[in-house]
PDB file of all heavy atoms in Angstrom:
ATOM      1  N   THR V1030     116.108 218.566  58.002  1.00 97.00           N
ATOM      2  CA  THR V1030     117.335 217.972  57.663  1.00 97.00           C
ATOM      3  C   THR V1030     117.317 216.525  57.961  1.00 97.00           C
ATOM      4  O   THR V1030     116.798 216.121  59.009  1.00 97.00           O
ATOM      5  CB  THR V1030     118.519 218.656  58.360  1.00 97.00           C
ATOM      6  OG1 THR V1030     118.376 218.523  59.765  1.00 97.00           O
ATOM      7  CG2 THR V1030     118.594 220.197  58.014  1.00 97.00           C
ATOM      8  N   LEU V1031     117.928 215.722  57.126  1.00 96.00           N
ATOM      9  CA  LEU V1031     118.020 214.293  57.383  1.00 96.00           C
ATOM     10  C   LEU V1031     119.279 213.758  56.716  1.00 96.00           C
ATOM     11  O   LEU V1031     119.616 214.118  55.616  1.00 96.00           O
ATOM     12  CB  LEU V1031     116.762 213.624  56.610  1.00 96.00           C
ATOM     13  CG  LEU V1031     116.741 212.030  56.629  1.00 96.00           C
ATOM     14  CD1 LEU V1031     116.547 211.607  58.059  1.00 96.00           C
ATOM     15  CD2 LEU V1031     115.614 211.612  55.758  1.00 96.00           C
ATOM     16  N   SER V1032     119.955 212.932  57.503  1.00 97.00           N
ATOM     17  CA  SER V1032     121.132 212.281  56.994  1.00 97.00           C
ATOM     18  C   SER V1032     120.955 210.744  57.014  1.00 97.00           C
ATOM     19  O   SER V1032     120.571 210.142  58.082  1.00 97.00           O
ATOM     20  CB  SER V1032     122.366 212.586  57.855  1.00 97.00           C
ATOM     21  OG  SER V1032     123.469 211.945  57.362  1.00 97.00           O
ATOM     22  N   LEU V1033     121.079 210.107  55.801  1.00 95.00           N
ATOM     23  CA  LEU V1033     120.989 208.704  55.739  1.00 95.00           C
ATOM     24  C   LEU V1033     122.348 208.086  55.235  1.00 95.00           C
ATOM     25  O   LEU V1033     122.437 206.984  54.725  1.00 95.00           O
ATOM     26  CB  LEU V1033     119.890 208.309  54.750  1.00 95.00           C
ATOM     27  CG  LEU V1033     118.521 208.730  55.061  1.00 95.00           C
ATOM     28  CD1 LEU V1033     117.519 208.457  53.987  1.00 95.00           C
ATOM     29  CD2 LEU V1033     118.035 208.107  56.407  1.00 95.00           C
ATOM     30  N   THR V1034     123.406 208.813  55.415  1.00 95.00           N
ATOM     31  CA  THR V1034     124.727 208.453  54.931  1.00 95.00           C
ATOM     32  C   THR V1034     125.131 207.039  55.402  1.00 95.00           C
ATOM     33  O   THR V1034     124.981 206.693  56.595  1.00 95.00           O
ATOM     34  CB  THR V1034     125.873 209.445  55.417  1.00 95.00           C
ATOM     35  OG1 THR V1034     125.422 210.718  54.882  1.00 95.00           O
ATOM     36  CG2 THR V1034     127.183 209.098  55.019  1.00 95.00           C
ATOM     37  N   GLY V1035     125.622 206.221  54.505  1.00 93.00           N
ATOM     38  CA  GLY V1035     126.151 204.958  54.848  1.00 93.00           C
ATOM     39  C   GLY V1035     125.161 203.854  55.064  1.00 93.00           C
ATOM     40  O   GLY V1035     125.542 202.754  55.494  1.00 93.00           O
ATOM     41  N   ILE V1036     123.864 204.034  54.897  1.00 93.00           N
ATOM     42  CA  ILE V1036     122.910 202.951  55.084  1.00 93.00           C
ATOM     43  C   ILE V1036     122.765 202.227  53.787  1.00 93.00           C
ATOM     44  O   ILE V1036     122.571 202.817  52.674  1.00 93.00           O
ATOM     45  CB  ILE V1036     121.495 203.604  55.414  1.00 93.00           C
ATOM     46  CG1 ILE V1036     121.546 204.319  56.707  1.00 93.00           C
ATOM     47  CG2 ILE V1036     120.449 202.538  55.483  1.00 93.00           C
ATOM     48  CD1 ILE V1036     120.368 205.027  57.190  1.00 93.00           C
ATOM     49  N   LEU V1037     122.915 200.971  53.867  1.00 92.00           N
ATOM     50  CA  LEU V1037     122.964 200.112  52.675  1.00 92.00           C
ATOM     51  C   LEU V1037     121.542 199.754  52.208  1.00 92.00           C
ATOM     52  O   LEU V1037     121.194 198.550  51.943  1.00 92.00           O
ATOM     53  CB  LEU V1037     123.771 198.811  52.918  1.00 92.00           C
ATOM     54  CG  LEU V1037     125.237 199.077  53.235  1.00 92.00           C
ATOM     55  CD1 LEU V1037     125.924 197.759  53.615  1.00 92.00           C
ATOM     56  CD2 LEU V1037     125.941 199.795  52.179  1.00 92.00           C
ATOM     57  N   LEU V1038     120.768 200.786  52.108  1.00 90.00           N
ATOM     58  CA  LEU V1038     119.351 200.716  51.676  1.00 90.00           C
ATOM     59  C   LEU V1038     119.248 200.304  50.201  1.00 90.00           C
ATOM     60  O   LEU V1038     119.848 200.840  49.387  1.00 90.00           O
ATOM     61  CB  LEU V1038     118.712 202.033  51.902  1.00 90.00           C
ATOM     62  CG  LEU V1038     117.240 202.208  51.616  1.00 90.00           C
ATOM     63  CD1 LEU V1038     116.412 201.299  52.546  1.00 90.00           C
ATOM     64  CD2 LEU V1038     116.819 203.631  51.942  1.00 90.00           C
ATOM     65  N   THR V1039     118.409 199.308  49.928  1.00 89.00           N
ATOM     66  CA  THR V1039     118.210 198.814  48.572  1.00 89.00           C
ATOM     67  C   THR V1039     116.781 198.893  48.087  1.00 89.00           C
ATOM     68  O   THR V1039     116.482 198.672  46.949  1.00 89.00           O
ATOM     69  CB  THR V1039     118.707 197.348  48.379  1.00 89.00           C
ATOM     70  OG1 THR V1039     117.987 196.535  49.362  1.00 89.00           O
ATOM     71  CG2 THR V1039     120.225 197.278  48.636  1.00 89.00           C
ATOM     72  N   ASP V1040     115.872 199.123  49.034  1.00 91.00           N
ATOM     73  CA  ASP V1040     114.411 199.267  48.695  1.00 91.00           C
ATOM     74  C   ASP V1040     114.088 200.639  48.141  1.00 91.00           C
ATOM     75  O   ASP V1040     113.906 201.573  48.829  1.00 91.00           O
ATOM     76  CB  ASP V1040     113.521 198.948  49.920  1.00 91.00           C
ATOM     77  CG  ASP V1040     112.103 198.724  49.550  1.00 91.00           C
ATOM     78  OD1 ASP V1040     111.583 199.532  48.715  1.00 91.00           O
ATOM     79  OD2 ASP V1040     111.520 197.818  50.101  1.00 91.00           O
ATOM     80  N   GLU V1041     114.082 200.722  46.842  1.00 92.00           N
ATOM     81  CA  GLU V1041     113.866 201.926  46.104  1.00 92.00           C
ATOM     82  C   GLU V1041     112.531 202.578  46.418  1.00 92.00           C
ATOM     83  O   GLU V1041     112.399 203.793  46.556  1.00 92.00           O
ATOM     84  CB  GLU V1041     114.066 201.742  44.591  1.00 92.00           C
ATOM     85  CG  GLU V1041     114.073 203.029  43.814  1.00 92.00           C
ATOM     86  CD  GLU V1041     114.455 202.788  42.398  1.00 92.00           C
ATOM     87  OE1 GLU V1041     115.547 202.311  42.127  1.00 92.00           O
ATOM     88  OE2 GLU V1041     113.621 203.147  41.519  1.00 92.00           O
ATOM     89  N   THR V1042     111.433 201.766  46.550  1.00 92.00           N
ATOM     90  CA  THR V1042     110.147 202.222  46.804  1.00 92.00           C
ATOM     91  C   THR V1042     110.058 202.973  48.101  1.00 92.00           C
ATOM     92  O   THR V1042     109.557 204.125  48.221  1.00 92.00           O
ATOM     93  CB  THR V1042     109.125 201.148  46.810  1.00 92.00           C
ATOM     94  OG1 THR V1042     109.168 200.497  45.451  1.00 92.00           O
ATOM     95  CG2 THR V1042     107.692 201.642  47.065  1.00 92.00           C
ATOM     96  N   ILE V1043     110.608 202.421  49.170  1.00 92.00           N
ATOM     97  CA  ILE V1043     110.575 202.977  50.499  1.00 92.00           C
ATOM     98  C   ILE V1043     111.402 204.242  50.521  1.00 92.00           C
ATOM     99  O   ILE V1043     110.958 205.252  51.050  1.00 92.00           O
ATOM    100  CB  ILE V1043     111.082 201.957  51.608  1.00 92.00           C
ATOM    101  CG1 ILE V1043     109.994 200.901  51.763  1.00 92.00           C
ATOM    102  CG2 ILE V1043     111.307 202.726  52.892  1.00 92.00           C
ATOM    103  CD1 ILE V1043     110.420 199.789  52.780  1.00 92.00           C
ATOM    104  N   PHE V1044     112.522 204.249  49.877  1.00 93.00           N
ATOM    105  CA  PHE V1044     113.412 205.378  49.794  1.00 93.00           C
ATOM    106  C   PHE V1044     112.697 206.572  49.140  1.00 93.00           C
ATOM    107  O   PHE V1044     112.657 207.708  49.666  1.00 93.00           O
ATOM    108  CB  PHE V1044     114.723 205.052  49.017  1.00 93.00           C
ATOM    109  CG  PHE V1044     115.592 206.250  48.742  1.00 93.00           C
ATOM    110  CD1 PHE V1044     116.370 206.794  49.792  1.00 93.00           C
ATOM    111  CD2 PHE V1044     115.731 206.761  47.442  1.00 93.00           C
ATOM    112  CE1 PHE V1044     117.193 207.852  49.578  1.00 93.00           C
ATOM    113  CE2 PHE V1044     116.584 207.805  47.230  1.00 93.00           C
ATOM    114  CZ  PHE V1044     117.280 208.374  48.315  1.00 93.00           C
ATOM    115  N   ILE V1045     112.105 206.372  47.929  1.00 93.00           N
ATOM    116  CA  ILE V1045     111.414 207.431  47.260  1.00 93.00           C
ATOM    117  C   ILE V1045     110.237 207.910  48.037  1.00 93.00           C
ATOM    118  O   ILE V1045     110.120 209.181  48.203  1.00 93.00           O
ATOM    119  CB  ILE V1045     110.990 206.889  45.829  1.00 93.00           C
ATOM    120  CG1 ILE V1045     112.195 206.624  44.931  1.00 93.00           C
ATOM    121  CG2 ILE V1045     110.015 207.848  45.183  1.00 93.00           C
ATOM    122  CD1 ILE V1045     111.881 205.874  43.678  1.00 93.00           C
ATOM    123  N   GLU V1046     109.448 207.039  48.592  1.00 92.00           N
ATOM    124  CA  GLU V1046     108.203 207.477  49.294  1.00 92.00           C
ATOM    125  C   GLU V1046     108.635 208.211  50.571  1.00 92.00           C
ATOM    126  O   GLU V1046     107.928 209.129  50.977  1.00 92.00           O
ATOM    127  CB  GLU V1046     107.386 206.299  49.669  1.00 92.00           C
ATOM    128  CG  GLU V1046     106.711 205.706  48.446  1.00 92.00           C
ATOM    129  CD  GLU V1046     105.831 204.534  48.731  1.00 92.00           C
ATOM    130  OE1 GLU V1046     105.769 204.053  49.864  1.00 92.00           O
ATOM    131  OE2 GLU V1046     105.249 203.942  47.727  1.00 92.00           O
ATOM    132  N   CYS V1047     109.734 207.862  51.186  1.00 92.00           N
ATOM    133  CA  CYS V1047     110.173 208.495  52.422  1.00 92.00           C
ATOM    134  C   CYS V1047     110.546 209.961  52.050  1.00 92.00           C
ATOM    135  O   CYS V1047     110.059 210.894  52.738  1.00 92.00           O
ATOM    136  CB  CYS V1047     111.419 207.822  52.994  1.00 92.00           C
ATOM    137  SG  CYS V1047     112.321 208.737  54.185  1.00 92.00           S
ATOM    138  N   LEU V1048     111.315 210.118  51.044  1.00 92.00           N
ATOM    139  CA  LEU V1048     111.705 211.557  50.731  1.00 92.00           C
ATOM    140  C   LEU V1048     110.551 212.405  50.127  1.00 92.00           C
ATOM    141  O   LEU V1048     110.487 213.583  50.343  1.00 92.00           O
ATOM    142  CB  LEU V1048     112.891 211.464  49.729  1.00 92.00           C
ATOM    143  CG  LEU V1048     114.198 210.946  50.321  1.00 92.00           C
ATOM    144  CD1 LEU V1048     115.260 211.036  49.267  1.00 92.00           C
ATOM    145  CD2 LEU V1048     114.588 211.758  51.540  1.00 92.00           C
ATOM    146  N   GLN V1049     109.647 211.742  49.483  1.00 91.00           N
ATOM    147  CA  GLN V1049     108.498 212.426  48.918  1.00 91.00           C
ATOM    148  C   GLN V1049     107.550 212.948  49.954  1.00 91.00           C
ATOM    149  O   GLN V1049     106.991 214.017  49.879  1.00 91.00           O
ATOM    150  CB  GLN V1049     107.718 211.532  47.886  1.00 91.00           C
ATOM    151  CG  GLN V1049     108.416 211.401  46.620  1.00 91.00           C
ATOM    152  CD  GLN V1049     107.746 210.495  45.631  1.00 91.00           C
ATOM    153  OE1 GLN V1049     106.888 209.656  46.010  1.00 91.00           O
ATOM    154  NE2 GLN V1049     108.062 210.592  44.379  1.00 91.00           N
ATOM    155  N   ARG V1050     107.422 212.199  51.047  1.00 91.00           N
ATOM    156  CA  ARG V1050     106.473 212.572  52.112  1.00 91.00           C
ATOM    157  C   ARG V1050     107.020 213.662  53.003  1.00 91.00           C
ATOM    158  O   ARG V1050     106.271 214.255  53.769  1.00 91.00           O
ATOM    159  CB  ARG V1050     105.881 211.421  52.855  1.00 91.00           C
ATOM    160  CG  ARG V1050     106.855 210.621  53.730  1.00 91.00           C
ATOM    161  CD  ARG V1050     106.214 209.481  54.443  1.00 91.00           C
ATOM    162  NE  ARG V1050     105.388 209.869  55.586  1.00 91.00           N
ATOM    163  CZ  ARG V1050     105.858 210.235  56.743  1.00 91.00           C
ATOM    164  NH1 ARG V1050     107.171 210.215  56.949  1.00 91.00           N
ATOM    165  NH2 ARG V1050     105.091 210.591  57.698  1.00 91.00           N
ATOM    166  N   LEU V1051     108.286 213.865  53.035  1.00 93.00           N
ATOM    167  CA  LEU V1051     108.898 214.859  53.958  1.00 93.00           C
ATOM    168  C   LEU V1051     108.953 216.202  53.213  1.00 93.00           C
ATOM    169  O   LEU V1051     110.011 216.593  52.731  1.00 93.00           O
ATOM    170  CB  LEU V1051     110.324 214.381  54.306  1.00 93.00           C
ATOM    171  CG  LEU V1051     110.423 213.061  55.146  1.00 93.00           C
ATOM    172  CD1 LEU V1051     111.883 212.685  55.364  1.00 93.00           C
ATOM    173  CD2 LEU V1051     109.717 213.187  56.440  1.00 93.00           C
ATOM    174  N   ARG V1052     107.784 216.828  53.210  1.00 91.00           N
ATOM    175  CA  ARG V1052     107.603 218.008  52.424  1.00 91.00           C
ATOM    176  C   ARG V1052     108.450 219.217  52.925  1.00 91.00           C
ATOM    177  O   ARG V1052     108.700 220.185  52.187  1.00 91.00           O
ATOM    178  CB  ARG V1052     106.138 218.381  52.453  1.00 91.00           C
ATOM    179  CG  ARG V1052     105.247 217.312  51.850  1.00 91.00           C
ATOM    180  CD  ARG V1052     104.524 217.840  50.695  1.00 91.00           C
ATOM    181  NE  ARG V1052     103.748 216.658  50.134  1.00 91.00           N
ATOM    182  CZ  ARG V1052     103.612 216.500  48.859  1.00 91.00           C
ATOM    183  NH1 ARG V1052     104.303 217.239  48.043  1.00 91.00           N
ATOM    184  NH2 ARG V1052     102.907 215.514  48.410  1.00 91.00           N
ATOM    185  N   ASN V1053     108.783 219.204  54.247  1.00 93.00           N
ATOM    186  CA  ASN V1053     109.555 220.284  54.780  1.00 93.00           C
ATOM    187  C   ASN V1053     111.070 220.141  54.665  1.00 93.00           C
ATOM    188  O   ASN V1053     111.831 220.928  55.098  1.00 93.00           O
ATOM    189  CB  ASN V1053     109.189 220.485  56.270  1.00 93.00           C
ATOM    190  CG  ASN V1053     107.766 220.920  56.478  1.00 93.00           C
ATOM    191  OD1 ASN V1053     107.300 221.783  55.727  1.00 93.00           O
ATOM    192  ND2 ASN V1053     107.089 220.333  57.390  1.00 93.00           N
ATOM    193  N   LEU V1054     111.504 219.002  54.075  1.00 93.00           N
ATOM    194  CA  LEU V1054     112.889 218.668  54.024  1.00 93.00           C
ATOM    195  C   LEU V1054     113.643 219.657  53.080  1.00 93.00           C
ATOM    196  O   LEU V1054     113.247 219.972  51.996  1.00 93.00           O
ATOM    197  CB  LEU V1054     113.029 217.273  53.426  1.00 93.00           C
ATOM    198  CG  LEU V1054     114.348 216.588  53.611  1.00 93.00           C
ATOM    199  CD1 LEU V1054     114.735 216.399  55.131  1.00 93.00           C
ATOM    200  CD2 LEU V1054     114.417 215.203  52.984  1.00 93.00           C
ATOM    201  N   ARG V1055     114.668 220.251  53.691  1.00 93.00           N
ATOM    202  CA  ARG V1055     115.483 221.272  52.937  1.00 93.00           C
ATOM    203  C   ARG V1055     116.922 220.750  52.656  1.00 93.00           C
ATOM    204  O   ARG V1055     117.584 221.204  51.747  1.00 93.00           O
ATOM    205  CB  ARG V1055     115.561 222.516  53.692  1.00 93.00           C
ATOM    206  CG  ARG V1055     114.256 223.206  53.927  1.00 93.00           C
ATOM    207  CD  ARG V1055     113.596 223.770  52.600  1.00 93.00           C
ATOM    208  NE  ARG V1055     112.273 224.193  52.836  1.00 93.00           N
ATOM    209  CZ  ARG V1055     111.230 223.645  52.254  1.00 93.00           C
ATOM    210  NH1 ARG V1055     111.374 222.582  51.533  1.00 93.00           N
ATOM    211  NH2 ARG V1055     110.029 224.093  52.466  1.00 93.00           N
ATOM    212  N   GLU V1056     117.366 219.802  53.414  1.00 94.00           N
ATOM    213  CA  GLU V1056     118.746 219.258  53.305  1.00 94.00           C
ATOM    214  C   GLU V1056     118.692 217.819  53.583  1.00 94.00           C
ATOM    215  O   GLU V1056     118.157 217.334  54.606  1.00 94.00           O
ATOM    216  CB  GLU V1056     119.677 219.959  54.267  1.00 94.00           C
ATOM    217  CG  GLU V1056     121.096 219.426  54.208  1.00 94.00           C
ATOM    218  CD  GLU V1056     121.974 220.134  55.200  1.00 94.00           C
ATOM    219  OE1 GLU V1056     121.627 221.168  55.788  1.00 94.00           O
ATOM    220  OE2 GLU V1056     123.036 219.585  55.485  1.00 94.00           O
ATOM    221  N   ALA V1057     119.326 217.019  52.642  1.00 93.00           N
ATOM    222  CA  ALA V1057     119.423 215.591  52.859  1.00 93.00           C
ATOM    223  C   ALA V1057     120.814 215.117  52.493  1.00 93.00           C
ATOM    224  O   ALA V1057     121.247 215.440  51.455  1.00 93.00           O
ATOM    225  CB  ALA V1057     118.335 214.797  52.046  1.00 93.00           C
ATOM    226  N   LYS V1058     121.448 214.388  53.398  1.00 95.00           N
ATOM    227  CA  LYS V1058     122.776 213.841  53.166  1.00 95.00           C
ATOM    228  C   LYS V1058     122.536 212.316  52.734  1.00 95.00           C
ATOM    229  O   LYS V1058     122.069 211.569  53.630  1.00 95.00           O
ATOM    230  CB  LYS V1058     123.634 213.950  54.337  1.00 95.00           C
ATOM    231  CG  LYS V1058     124.021 215.411  54.694  1.00 95.00           C
ATOM    232  CD  LYS V1058     124.858 215.488  55.845  1.00 95.00           C
ATOM    233  CE  LYS V1058     125.094 216.992  56.172  1.00 95.00           C
ATOM    234  NZ  LYS V1058     125.899 217.167  57.384  1.00 95.00           N
ATOM    235  N   LEU V1059     122.892 211.983  51.565  1.00 93.00           N
ATOM    236  CA  LEU V1059     122.518 210.712  51.046  1.00 93.00           C
ATOM    237  C   LEU V1059     123.764 209.951  50.461  1.00 93.00           C
ATOM    238  O   LEU V1059     123.600 209.150  49.577  1.00 93.00           O
ATOM    239  CB  LEU V1059     121.503 210.825  49.910  1.00 93.00           C
ATOM    240  CG  LEU V1059     120.209 211.566  50.325  1.00 93.00           C
ATOM    241  CD1 LEU V1059     119.319 211.780  49.095  1.00 93.00           C
ATOM    242  CD2 LEU V1059     119.477 210.852  51.390  1.00 93.00           C
ATOM    243  N   CYS V1060     124.874 210.161  51.028  1.00 93.00           N
ATOM    244  CA  CYS V1060     126.190 209.568  50.527  1.00 93.00           C
ATOM    245  C   CYS V1060     126.182 208.092  50.852  1.00 93.00           C
ATOM    246  O   CYS V1060     125.784 207.617  51.888  1.00 93.00           O
ATOM    247  CB  CYS V1060     127.381 210.203  51.246  1.00 93.00           C
ATOM    248  SG  CYS V1060     127.466 211.999  50.995  1.00 93.00           S
ATOM    249  N   GLY V1061     126.630 207.331  49.848  1.00 91.00           N
ATOM    250  CA  GLY V1061     126.845 205.856  50.100  1.00 91.00           C
ATOM    251  C   GLY V1061     125.581 205.059  50.077  1.00 91.00           C
ATOM    252  O   GLY V1061     125.603 203.937  50.702  1.00 91.00           O
ATOM    253  N   LEU V1062     124.504 205.481  49.500  1.00 93.00           N
ATOM    254  CA  LEU V1062     123.272 204.732  49.454  1.00 93.00           C
ATOM    255  C   LEU V1062     123.190 204.026  48.130  1.00 93.00           C
ATOM    256  O   LEU V1062     123.094 204.620  47.006  1.00 93.00           O
ATOM    257  CB  LEU V1062     122.043 205.607  49.579  1.00 93.00           C
ATOM    258  CG  LEU V1062     121.654 205.987  51.032  1.00 93.00           C
ATOM    259  CD1 LEU V1062     122.394 207.251  51.404  1.00 93.00           C
ATOM    260  CD2 LEU V1062     120.194 206.084  51.139  1.00 93.00           C
ATOM    261  N   PRO V1063     123.157 202.625  48.101  1.00 93.00           N
ATOM    262  CA  PRO V1063     123.018 201.943  46.890  1.00 93.00           C
ATOM    263  C   PRO V1063     121.685 202.236  46.149  1.00 93.00           C
ATOM    264  O   PRO V1063     121.637 202.139  44.893  1.00 93.00           O
ATOM    265  CB  PRO V1063     123.069 200.452  47.312  1.00 93.00           C
ATOM    266  CG  PRO V1063     123.528 200.430  48.695  1.00 93.00           C
ATOM    267  CD  PRO V1063     123.297 201.751  49.298  1.00 93.00           C
ATOM    268  N   VAL V1064     120.727 202.680  46.846  1.00 93.00           N
ATOM    269  CA  VAL V1064     119.400 202.890  46.279  1.00 93.00           C
ATOM    270  C   VAL V1064     119.347 204.263  45.555  1.00 93.00           C
ATOM    271  O   VAL V1064     118.434 204.491  44.740  1.00 93.00           O
ATOM    272  CB  VAL V1064     118.310 202.912  47.392  1.00 93.00           C
ATOM    273  CG1 VAL V1064     118.390 204.138  48.257  1.00 93.00           C
ATOM    274  CG2 VAL V1064     116.947 202.720  46.834  1.00 93.00           C
ATOM    275  N   LEU V1065     120.336 205.077  45.722  1.00 93.00           N
ATOM    276  CA  LEU V1065     120.363 206.373  45.086  1.00 93.00           C
ATOM    277  C   LEU V1065     120.937 206.174  43.609  1.00 93.00           C
ATOM    278  O   LEU V1065     122.145 205.921  43.425  1.00 93.00           O
ATOM    279  CB  LEU V1065     121.277 207.365  45.821  1.00 93.00           C
ATOM    280  CG  LEU V1065     121.266 208.808  45.253  1.00 93.00           C
ATOM    281  CD1 LEU V1065     119.825 209.405  45.300  1.00 93.00           C
ATOM    282  CD2 LEU V1065     122.198 209.691  46.145  1.00 93.00           C
ATOM    283  N   ASN V1066     120.063 206.244  42.692  1.00 93.00           N
ATOM    284  CA  ASN V1066     120.393 206.075  41.278  1.00 93.00           C
ATOM    285  C   ASN V1066     119.682 207.107  40.467  1.00 93.00           C
ATOM    286  O   ASN V1066     118.932 207.919  41.023  1.00 93.00           O
ATOM    287  CB  ASN V1066     120.129 204.628  40.824  1.00 93.00           C
ATOM    288  CG  ASN V1066     118.688 204.242  41.041  1.00 93.00           C
ATOM    289  OD1 ASN V1066     117.769 204.972  40.731  1.00 93.00           O
ATOM    290  ND2 ASN V1066     118.511 203.021  41.580  1.00 93.00           N
ATOM    291  N   ASP V1067     119.827 207.046  39.139  1.00 94.00           N
ATOM    292  CA  ASP V1067     119.208 208.037  38.278  1.00 94.00           C
ATOM    293  C   ASP V1067     117.639 207.991  38.448  1.00 94.00           C
ATOM    294  O   ASP V1067     117.001 209.074  38.503  1.00 94.00           O
ATOM    295  CB  ASP V1067     119.540 207.795  36.858  1.00 94.00           C
ATOM    296  CG  ASP V1067     120.935 208.118  36.486  1.00 94.00           C
ATOM    297  OD1 ASP V1067     121.648 208.749  37.300  1.00 94.00           O
ATOM    298  OD2 ASP V1067     121.498 207.641  35.404  1.00 94.00           O
ATOM    299  N   ASN V1068     117.071 206.830  38.513  1.00 93.00           N
ATOM    300  CA  ASN V1068     115.636 206.767  38.603  1.00 93.00           C
ATOM    301  C   ASN V1068     115.127 207.302  39.978  1.00 93.00           C
ATOM    302  O   ASN V1068     114.125 208.003  39.948  1.00 93.00           O
ATOM    303  CB  ASN V1068     115.158 205.274  38.452  1.00 93.00           C
ATOM    304  CG  ASN V1068     113.648 205.187  38.620  1.00 93.00           C
ATOM    305  OD1 ASN V1068     112.909 205.769  37.853  1.00 93.00           O
ATOM    306  ND2 ASN V1068     113.247 204.367  39.570  1.00 93.00           N
TER     307      ASN V1068
END
């Protein structure tokens, strides 16, 4: 489980690679992240 709620993260590459490498992740709270988009 990981919560990144409210972090004004804009680096899409780091965000994607972070979530991709966490293979055991079952729950992620990602509210309010500017980096969270369709892509």
Side-chain angles (χ1 to χ4, degrees):
T1030 62
L1031 175 65
S1032 179
L1033 298 175
T1034 299
I1036 296 176
L1037 299 177
L1038 182 61
T1039 57
D1040 190 317
E1041 191 171 297
T1042 301
I1043 290 176
F1044 174 73
I1045 292 169
E1046 289 176 3
C1047 167
L1048 293 181
Q1049 287 178 338
R1050 66 179 285 282
L1051 297 176
R1052 303 240 178 222
N1053 294 317
L1054 198 61
R1055 299 291 172 247
E1056 179 182 345
K1058 294 180 183 174
L1059 306 172
C1060 303
L1062 278 90
V1064 75
L1065 186 59
N1066 56 44
D1067 290 344
N1068 179 57

